[in-house]
Amino acid sequence: MTILEQYEQLEKTIRAYNPSADFQQIHAAFEFANEAHKSQKRKSGEPYIIHPLAVAQIVAEQKLDSESIEAALLHDVIEDTSATHEDIARKFSPVIADLVEGVSKLTRMQYATKEDEQMENLRKMLLAMNKDIRVILIKISDRLHNMRTMEYQSPEKQKQKSLETMEIYAPIAHRLGMQRIKWELEDLSLKYLDPIAYAEIVSKMDAKRPEHEALMERTQKQIDDRLNELNIKHIIYGRIKHPYSIYRKMFSQNKNLQEIFDLFAFRVVVDSMGDCYNVLGVIHDLYKPILGRFKDYIGTPKPNGYQSLHTTVMGTDGIPFEVQIRTMEMHDIAEYGVAAHWKYKQNGQGAGTEGRYEWVRRLLENQEGADAEEFIHSLKVDMFSDKVFVFTPNGDVQNLPAGATPIDFAYAIHSAVGNRMIGAKVNGRIVTLDYSLKNGDLVELLTSKNAKGPSRDWLKMANSTEARSKIRQWFKKERKEENILNGRSAFESELKHCGLTMKEVMDPDILPELMKKVAYPTLDDMYAAIGYGGFSAQKAVSRMQGEINRRQQARKQEQQLLEAELAAKEEQHVSETKQQPKQPKKPSRSEHGIIVEGLDNCLVKFSKCCTPVPGDKIIGFITRGYGVSVHRCDCPNATAERRKDPSQAGRWIDVSWSDDINETYPTTIEVVCKDRANLLLDISAALSTSNTYVLGINTHSTEDNFAIIRLDVKIENTSQLQTLINKLNQISGVLGVSRPAG
């Protein structure tokens, strides 16, 4: 089919359900996309415009409005061409530009991991979807066509995209009630994820197809004849279970093809809800119902709006089959989900107000601050898991993820209820908080105003992201100091497990880079997040480990260069005659504000024992593996006696401060004071008024009611340091302020 023929087919599809569509604008969108993509080819070698046309065709088959068709034709122009949001808004409309922007990936940004990129793309899409549900309808159509043409991709890309489709897009289609597209996405994904199993199922089904079709024809005629006798107006048709559904039951439940009860299914579509129940009686009169296999989704619809009566019966041939009974409107919603709403709106037009689904907003709210892995996990659990329906004592229905506990139930009602909960009753009996709720359970919560709040164990018992998010928020707000202590302990334990030390993390040269890796402004913020469960110690260490190893390797290389340079200079010095007049040494260039006499490109490290700052008299010591370590001259580790030690001869070297310093330097101040209330508050005020950047505060109380406070700060020079010391000395209860050395 030529490009023009494909476009004409698109128009024909649209005219069949929406003859009043804006065909002039639709054609303009086609021409704009065709021009924008004219130099691009797909992996198959076809012109790229084939893809937007195919996506628009899928959108049209869902009977969506003109704006959706236009956005589908244009959906890749922002991402893959030079066209911008402004260009589309100007030529078409801001609404269409927003739809296209919502479908586009964040390809122009850099992310630390593939998971982070996937999370941000999904979060962006959900935000756009919250404003206009048509974003996700176009995106799912885009993914469906990509899966239909996946054979042109590499095997690695096939598996990657198929897994993403199976875990994200097919479940979203299910959550939106788009069963027909969901089934096709699952089948196409299975084809690449487990090609052997897929081929085996298709082969077995093809081999039995004549037998299956004859059975279905006989059964369909039996039902059709009986309903005609009773003058019940209806449409009936049968279907065989699709390959992925068969695969899931065969492999997850260890069943063979003969053990799958709903391998065959019939749908009976009638005019009214009353007729649905009438047909149910007819079916149960014709065939023997199988106990426990009846479900009334009309009285209790699924969360995605799905409504039908389901019953499984034993056929006259001794083969069980399922019958689904519904009205035409229920049928459209079952097949096309949220897209079916457009059929029931005037002229097929609308701004997608049905898309303002509460579950989308709740999902976004619960994921504020979540990392990539937690976000993706929550999508799979909260959005896509099977649901369990339970009742409140007032008879209200709450739908929760399968496996939900009373904790999930409590936080679904309100965070305050969850925080005050001390127990729960199910069907009148007290149960443990990890009890797994079942459909139809009547749940009563026991609360107390004196409750101490949630336990950390609740995070393991809760099965919904909403509950876990609210529990973490409580700990984040109420137990910050405890969170920091617990988080630091877990972090240090994980460091030790990985063969790293806090000394390596606290290195002022590397600490800012490490904080970027974990996306927290300070270590305390990271500790607090680990403490309340918002981040894991394993992730923190794994993200830092690469940077630490990289820095260590760079130091080794620089040390090797330094040692080679020192050996060359020593050899040169020995060869020079004593009579030769000494030439003044040429100072090297500054490194971190330090000039090392006679050496270029030298690694400089400030010693932790005395933490020098500009203005201090300093001396350098050549270390093994870490370049030159800079000490204060009054440091116990750099006394005159140590410098004269023969075993260290030649390792002490003159260093000086550069004239062009524009950095701040870490140093430590020790405050000895009488312990009292609000002491830390007064010290914090002194630090704030002197514009001092604080790296950390460590306090220790003695038995005789004294406190020793150790402040790790960043200072520009000794003048600023002395100003800070003077301010601290003026605080009530402060007995002395000093700089530790050694």
Side-chain angles (χ1 to χ4, degrees):
M1 190 183 291
T2 66
I3 293 171
L4 188 57
E5 287 172 338
Q6 194 169 340
Y7 175 75
E8 287 172 351
Q9 177 60 41
L10 172 64
E11 279 203 358
K12 183 179 177 182
T13 303
I14 299 167
R15 287 184 194 281
Y17 72 90
N18 187 15
S20 62
D22 191 343
F23 290 100
Q24 186 175 346
Q25 279 291 81
I26 291 171
H27 190 263
F30 162 66
E31 289 188 328
F32 186 94
N34 195 20
E35 179 64 25
H37 293 298
K38 66 180 180 181
S39 61
Q40 297 173 340
K41 299 279 187 184
R42 300 204 82 212
K43 293 277 186 182
S44 62
E46 296 173 309
Y48 194 89
I49 190 62
I50 294 293
H51 171 63
L53 273 169
V55 173
Q57 180 66 35
I58 295 169
V59 169
E61 287 166 3
Q62 297 174 65
K63 300 181 171 62
L64 294 185
D65 58 339
S66 298
E67 289 178 334
S68 301
I69 305 294
E70 293 166 48
L73 289 165
L74 298 165
H75 79 272
D76 271 337
V77 296
I78 291 179
E79 186 180 332
D80 293 336
T81 76
S82 59
T84 65
H85 180 281
E86 291 73 22
D87 294 337
I88 297 172
R90 186 169 53 251
K91 185 165 182 60
F92 298 96
S93 76
V95 172
I96 292 172
D98 287 345
L99 286 172
V100 175
E101 178 70 28
V103 176
S104 302
K105 296 196 294 289
L106 303 173
T107 51
R108 295 175 185 132
M109 297 182 69
Q110 296 296 317
Y111 297 93
T113 66
K114 189 70 179 174
E115 289 78 12
D116 287 337
E117 181 181 358
Q118 185 187 42
M119 175 193 71
E120 286 305 327
N121 281 324
L122 284 168
R123 203 194 298 268
K124 169 180 176 283
M125 187 175 67
L126 286 167
L127 283 167
M129 176 179 166
N130 189 38
K131 295 176 183 176
D132 193 329
I133 201 71
R134 292 174 295 179
V135 166
I136 194 64
L137 302 180
I138 297 166
K139 184 64 183 177
I140 288 174
S141 302
D142 171 47
R143 178 52 61 106
L144 177 57
H145 184 251
N146 281 332
M147 290 303 299
R148 286 175 176 174
T149 55
M150 192 54 65
E151 70 267 23
Y152 299 106
Q153 299 289 349
S154 66
E156 182 184 354
K157 195 69 173 275
Q158 287 173 347
K159 286 190 182 299
Q160 176 198 331
K161 290 295 182 185
S162 296
L163 184 62
E164 185 180 65
T165 300
M166 188 72 83
E167 291 188 337
I168 304 295
Y169 290 98
I172 287 179
H174 172 67
R175 190 65 176 80
L176 295 170
M178 304 164 69
Q179 297 307 313
R180 180 173 290 185
I181 287 179
K182 173 206 173 223
W183 291 336
E184 187 174 356
L185 287 173
E186 287 173 339
D187 289 348
L188 290 168
S189 298
L190 178 63
K191 181 179 177 181
Y192 297 105
L193 291 173
D194 194 343
I196 295 174
Y198 177 82
E200 181 184 345
I201 290 169
V202 171
S203 173
K204 285 182 178 179
M205 295 299 290
D206 285 346
K208 286 182 170 287
R209 190 169 299 281
E211 179 185 334
H212 289 165
E213 287 177 350
L215 169 66
M216 294 190 73
E217 189 177 336
R218 285 196 305 274
T219 305
Q220 182 170 326
K221 187 175 187 308
Q222 288 173 351
I223 298 172
D224 190 44
D225 288 347
R226 178 61 64 88
L227 294 177
N228 285 333
E229 284 175 18
L230 297 170
N231 295 318
I232 298 175
K233 190 177 178 183
H234 68 282
I235 300 170
I236 181 172
Y237 64 94
R239 61 127 179 114
I240 298 174
K241 205 169 185 67
H242 67 110
Y244 176 68
S245 289
I246 297 171
Y247 172 87
R248 192 172 57 192
K249 291 207 171 183
M250 286 178 67
F251 289 88
S252 68
Q253 299 177 21
N254 196 26
K255 292 184 176 183
N256 59 41
L257 214 56
Q258 287 70 35
E259 293 175 306
I260 299 175
F261 275 14
D262 54 353
L263 185 62
F264 309 103
F266 294 89
R267 292 205 179 103
V268 182
V269 182
V270 293
D271 287 345
S272 69
M273 192 183 298
D275 283 345
C276 291
Y277 291 97
N278 289 336
V279 171
L280 177 68
V282 173
I283 298 297
H284 283 179
D285 185 47
L286 267 175
Y287 308 103
K288 184 178 180 181
I290 296 175
L291 292 177
R293 300 285 299 176
F294 168 67
K295 293 174 183 174
D296 184 351
Y297 291 120
I298 293 179
T300 307
K302 288 186 177 183
N304 60 14
Y306 176 89
Q307 289 183 288
S308 274
L309 297 177
H310 287 201
T311 185
T312 303
V313 296
M314 185 63 69
T316 52
D317 296 272
I319 296 174
F321 60 88
E322 184 181 57
V323 180
Q324 298 170 357
I325 309 161
R326 57 181 69 145
T327 65
M328 182 55 75
E329 183 173 349
M330 292 175 192
H331 176 68
D332 283 339
I333 291 171
E335 292 287 292
Y336 301 107
V338 68
H341 287 287
W342 268 263
K343 180 177 178 180
Y344 299 98
K345 297 180 70 171
Q346 61 276 19
N347 300 322
Q349 300 293 322
T353 53
E354 295 87 357
R356 295 184 178 276
Y357 279 4
E358 180 60 31
W359 58 268
V360 181
R361 288 200 299 277
R362 188 168 63 246
L363 182 70
L364 290 165
E365 288 166 5
N366 290 339
Q367 292 317 304
E368 287 181 6
D371 67 357
E373 190 174 320
E374 175 71 14
F375 181 79
I376 300 301
H377 172 75
S378 73
L379 280 174
K380 296 173 188 174
V381 172
D382 281 6
M383 231 177 127
F384 313 144
S385 67
D386 291 332
K387 295 289 180 178
V388 60
F389 296 88
V390 295
F391 295 92
T392 70
N394 295 330
D396 296 326
V397 178
Q398 285 285 338
N399 66 79
L400 302 166
T405 65
I407 296 170
D408 298 300
F409 178 84
Y411 282 101
I413 292 172
H414 198 280
S415 56
V417 175
N419 293 337
R420 292 202 303 267
M421 183 176 64
I422 56 172
K425 287 182 179 180
V426 174
N427 302 324
R429 299 179 62 183
I430 291 178
V431 297
T432 57
L433 294 182
D434 62 352
Y435 172 84
S436 185
L437 297 173
K438 299 175 180 60
N439 275 320
D441 279 346
L442 176 65
V443 186
E444 180 184 352
L445 299 174
L446 308 177
T447 61
S448 169
K449 292 181 179 179
N450 299 321
K452 296 180 179 179
S455 159
R456 291 187 185 276
D457 291 335
W458 290 14
L459 286 168
K460 298 174 185 175
M461 298 180 196
N463 204 39
S464 69
T465 303
E466 181 177 13
R468 287 198 302 271
S469 174
K470 288 179 178 178
I471 294 168
R472 283 197 296 265
Q473 285 170 13
W474 186 88
F475 277 106
K476 184 177 181 180
K477 181 180 178 183
E478 303 291 335
R479 302 281 179 87
K480 186 171 183 181
E481 294 302 322
E482 180 186 332
N483 291 336
I484 291 174
L485 288 173
N486 290 336
R488 178 167 185 146
S489 175
F491 178 71
E492 290 179 350
S493 175
E494 184 63 22
L495 276 178
K496 186 177 180 181
H497 177 72
C498 295
L500 301 173
T501 65
M502 278 300 294
K503 183 179 179 181
E504 291 165 323
V505 173
M506 294 298 292
D507 185 335
D509 291 341
I510 193 175
L511 187 59
E513 285 301 316
L514 297 183
M515 289 295 94
K516 288 180 184 177
K517 294 287 182 184
V518 294
Y520 287 98
T522 67
L523 279 171
D524 275 357
D525 289 321
M526 183 189 76
Y527 294 151
I530 294 172
Y532 70 74
F535 195 51
S536 74
Q538 291 82 0
K539 286 181 191 172
V541 173
S542 66
R543 291 185 185 183
M544 291 181 173
Q545 196 166 14
E547 182 66 18
I548 292 172
N549 292 341
R550 190 183 68 78
R551 293 293 183 106
Q552 287 176 339
Q553 188 62 32
R555 281 172 176 162
K556 285 181 182 178
Q557 292 174 353
E558 290 182 12
Q559 179 61 20
Q560 289 170 356
L561 291 172
L562 174 62
E563 289 175 352
E565 190 173 348
L566 285 172
K569 285 188 176 293
E570 188 174 345
E571 186 178 342
Q572 180 183 359
H573 176 71
V574 170
S575 66
E576 290 175 353
T577 61
K578 292 183 180 181
Q579 291 78 16
Q580 186 177 2
K582 292 184 179 180
Q583 298 294 326
K585 292 181 179 179
K586 181 181 177 182
S588 69
R589 60 186 177 85
S590 165
E591 181 72 24
H592 294 303
I594 295 293
I595 295 174
V596 181
E597 302 298 335
L599 292 179
D600 289 319
N601 300 320
C602 179
L603 178 65
V604 170
K605 181 178 175 66
F606 294 94
S607 66
K608 295 291 180 63
C609 54
C610 57
T611 56
V613 297
D616 289 326
K617 292 183 178 179
I618 51 176
I619 188 76
F621 182 76
I622 300 169
T623 62
R624 291 185 175 89
Y626 289 97
V628 173
S629 180
V630 179
H631 292 258
R632 288 180 3 219
C633 287
D634 61 351
C635 176
N637 293 323
T639 60
E641 291 74 18
R642 282 179 177 264
R643 284 181 247 166
K644 293 175 184 176
D645 187 342
S647 65
Q648 297 182 355
R651 296 182 68 183
W652 291 98
I653 190 167
D654 290 334
V655 295
S656 59
W657 296 102
S658 170
D659 293 332
D660 57 350
I661 294 173
N662 56 5
E663 298 183 46
T664 56
Y665 297 82
T667 192
T668 301
I669 302 171
E670 196 169 83
V671 184
V672 179
C673 44
K674 191 73 174 174
D675 205 357
R676 63 172 174 82
N678 296 324
L679 178 62
L680 269 178
L681 190 63
D682 292 342
I683 289 175
S684 297
L687 292 166
S688 178
T689 55
S690 60
N691 293 321
T692 304
Y693 184 83
V694 181
L695 294 171
I697 299 178
N698 190 289
T699 64
H700 172 66
S701 296
T702 63
E703 293 181 359
D704 50 356
N705 207 32
F706 283 89
I708 300 170
I709 301 175
R710 194 178 179 93
L711 304 173
D712 295 319
V713 297
K714 274 197 166 186
I715 294 292
E716 292 180 1
N717 50 47
T718 51
S719 175
Q720 184 191 3
L721 181 61
Q722 191 57 50
T723 300
L724 175 59
I725 290 173
N726 292 341
K727 282 182 178 290
L728 293 172
N729 272 319
Q730 293 169 12
I731 295 173
S732 173
V734 171
L735 305 177
V737 184
S738 61
R739 295 178 66 192

